[in-house]
Amino acid sequence: MPGAGPLGVAVVGCGVISDAYLHNLTSFPDLRVLFCADIDLDRAKAQADKHGVPAAGSPAQALEHPGVELVVNLTVPAAHAEVATAALRAGKHVWNEKPLTTAVGAARELLATAAEAGLRVGCAPDTVLGAGLQSARRLIASGAIGTPLTALTLLQGPGPEAWHPSPEFLFATGAGPLFDLGPYYLSWLATLFGPASRVTAVSRRSRDTRVIGSGPRAGTEFGVEVPTYVSALAEYESGQAASLLFSWDSPLSRQGFVEITGTEATLALPDPNRFDGDLRLRRAGDEEWTVVPAAGTTAGRGLGVLDMARTLRSGHPHRASGELALHVLELMTAIDSAAASGGCAAATGRTRRCRWWPPRSPPPCR
Ligand SMILES: NC(=O)c1ccc[n+]([C@@H]2O[C@H](COP(=O)([O-])OP(=O)(O)OC[C@H]3O[C@@H](n4cnc5c(N)ncnc54)[C@H](O)[C@@H]3O)[C@@H](O)[C@H]2O)c1
């Protein structure tokens, strides 16, 4: 039975992204952030003090808190499965940062554990709920581009080691540009096209080591475990095809490029790492783009947690779901395998019921 009142939340993992989450989560009336936890207790305490959260401590202490109903897991990818599984075993719902886990098997186990316990798993990116993508859904559903045929996405830049003070995890298994930033682009395409069926890819790693560029350990060299350039082609079950580029091997930065081409027009979407941003439409024969303002929520990171809180209380399904994140992880893993083997890979052995596709109608503009 759904409970009542604001949902009690613990944030586990108080690193770089926790500021954006805590700023928003502590402002949503549907939530009460009760606990900040980290294996680094000083960090947990500092974030609790900064954001007015009443208690801080270890992850185990967060799970013992009787008021905590949902754990927001903002740890590094290698810890996602362990932290989320412990939360489920303690009877808490889970919101995970992306990727859901570093391996498909662990992600499937996680969702099975949740299903057995009657608990929910949600997963970033919650930009799928934002104004940009929801406006694109409405436009495409209205027939503005005709029948959607193809997608083109581009993410390239020098890599995050220049600005992230602990960037090692971003170059370890479970990250790299494909697994770290791919979820934004691939979740948007999955929301528009549905599940992917087949992929092929090539990948490269330009350097074996990189150097931390900011923070107290600036100048420290660390190893690169994963490809830092991935170029992929994907086929979707609904018939569309996509060309995808994810690179941290480029001095030139260009990101947030997502175009959907249909029989009548091309639609340029805003950056899938953001909640806001206008769309642009170019019909056959147009000399210029027509700007289409995005309409909808731009509340920012934590919107998926808010959606979980509201839907847990109302009994409806939440939208940035663990199942969608599992498909995206399967797809990224297939791209990685195809690049490693030089062949094609099935994106998913989808025999299970797909609970996130077809999606509910996009919410009307407010
Ligand atoms: N930094 C960003 O801009 C950004 C943006 C979007 C999403 N994310 C995602 O958020 C997650 C965290 O990224 P970050 O940049 O904040 O990393 P970070 O390294 O700055 O912080 C991670 C925190 O998790 C803690 N931690 C590690 N293992 C733990 C465990 N087992 N139990 C409890 N705490 C543990 C670390 O001590 C650290 O404080 C990643 O999944 C990342 O992909 C980051």
Side-chain angles (χ1 to χ4, degrees):
M1 289 292 290
L7 193 83
V9 167
V11 168
V12 177
C14 292
V16 171
I17 201 59
S18 67
D19 255 336
Y21 268 92
L22 283 162
H23 176 79
N24 287 340
L25 297 182
T26 53
S27 74
F28 295 150
D30 301 74
L31 305 174
R32 287 279 179 278
V33 185
L34 299 171
F35 206 97
C36 283
D38 201 294
I39 43 174
D40 181 334
L41 298 182
D42 292 340
R43 208 174 271 183
K45 174 88 172 60
Q47 286 300 73
D49 290 348
K50 182 173 175 186
H51 293 278
V53 175
S58 69
Q61 287 171 317
L63 300 185
E64 283 161 14
H65 193 301
V68 170
E69 294 169 80
L70 182 144
V71 165
V72 176
N73 180 5
L74 307 182
T75 61
V76 292
H80 283 180
E82 177 199 328
V83 170
T85 303
L88 293 171
R89 295 221 166 102
K92 319 289 186 190
H93 305 284
V94 171
W95 170 265
N96 247 35
E97 248 308 328
K98 46 77 193 165
L100 184 55
T101 64
T102 55
V104 167
R108 289 187 184 139
E109 270 176 43
L110 185 69
L111 297 194
T113 303
E116 268 167 40
L119 294 164
R120 295 190 185 199
V121 175
C123 188
D126 44 6
T127 55
V128 293
L129 307 177
L133 183 64
Q134 294 300 325
S135 298
R137 287 183 61 199
R138 280 189 290 270
L139 267 177
I140 291 171
S142 75
I145 65 167
T147 305
L149 299 173
T150 57
L152 181 62
T153 75
L154 172 64
L155 169 277
Q156 66 178 164
E161 76 276 21
W163 61 268
H164 199 295
S166 321
E168 292 93 331
F169 81 86
L170 293 164
F171 294 86
T173 303
L178 173 62
F179 286 83
D180 182 53
L181 295 172
Y184 296 106
Y185 296 80
L186 297 169
S187 299
W188 275 34
L189 294 188
T191 304
L192 295 174
F193 294 165
S197 50
R198 199 165 65 114
V199 293
T200 187
V202 294
S203 67
R204 294 286 183 274
R205 181 174 58 179
S206 64
R207 281 167 278 159
D208 292 337
T209 60
R210 296 216 175 196
V211 176
I212 300 177
S214 72
R217 294 187 298 123
T220 309
E221 195 175 48
F222 63 94
V224 176
E225 294 175 10
V226 290
T228 42
Y229 170 97
V230 180
S231 174
L233 301 172
E235 280 183 339
Y236 287 80
E237 289 183 8
S238 304
Q240 293 87 6
S243 306
L244 314 152
L245 182 71
F246 307 102
S247 172
W248 284 341
D249 282 345
S250 166
L252 176 64
S253 281
R254 275 189 297 206
Q255 55 194 333
F257 185 103
V258 180
E259 279 184 3
I260 309 294
T261 293
T263 49
E264 314 297 329
T266 292
L267 181 64
L269 276 60
D271 187 340
N273 198 348
R274 296 184 60 90
F275 293 78
D276 57 357
D278 290 338
L279 296 88
R280 291 174 303 132
L281 188 67
R282 195 152 170 169
R283 296 181 189 85
D286 283 357
E287 299 275 317
E288 302 286 341
W289 292 91
T290 302
V291 173
V292 186
T297 180
T298 53
R301 291 194 202 281
L303 190 56
V305 182
L306 178 62
D307 186 51
M308 284 189 83
R310 289 185 175 167
T311 55
L312 275 163
R313 291 298 185 241
S314 69
H316 292 95
H318 58 290
R319 289 174 291 164
S321 67
E323 284 84 4
L324 171 59
L326 171 60
H327 173 66
V328 168
L329 181 63
E330 288 171 336
L331 178 51
M332 296 187 296
T333 306
I335 289 171
D336 201 37
S337 310
S341 68
C344 291
T348 169
R350 188 163 79 82
T351 50
R352 66 183 178 275
R353 191 168 134 248
C354 191
R355 279 190 292 185
W356 54 272
W357 184 262
R360 285 186 284 157
S361 306
C365 294
R366 281 195 291 268

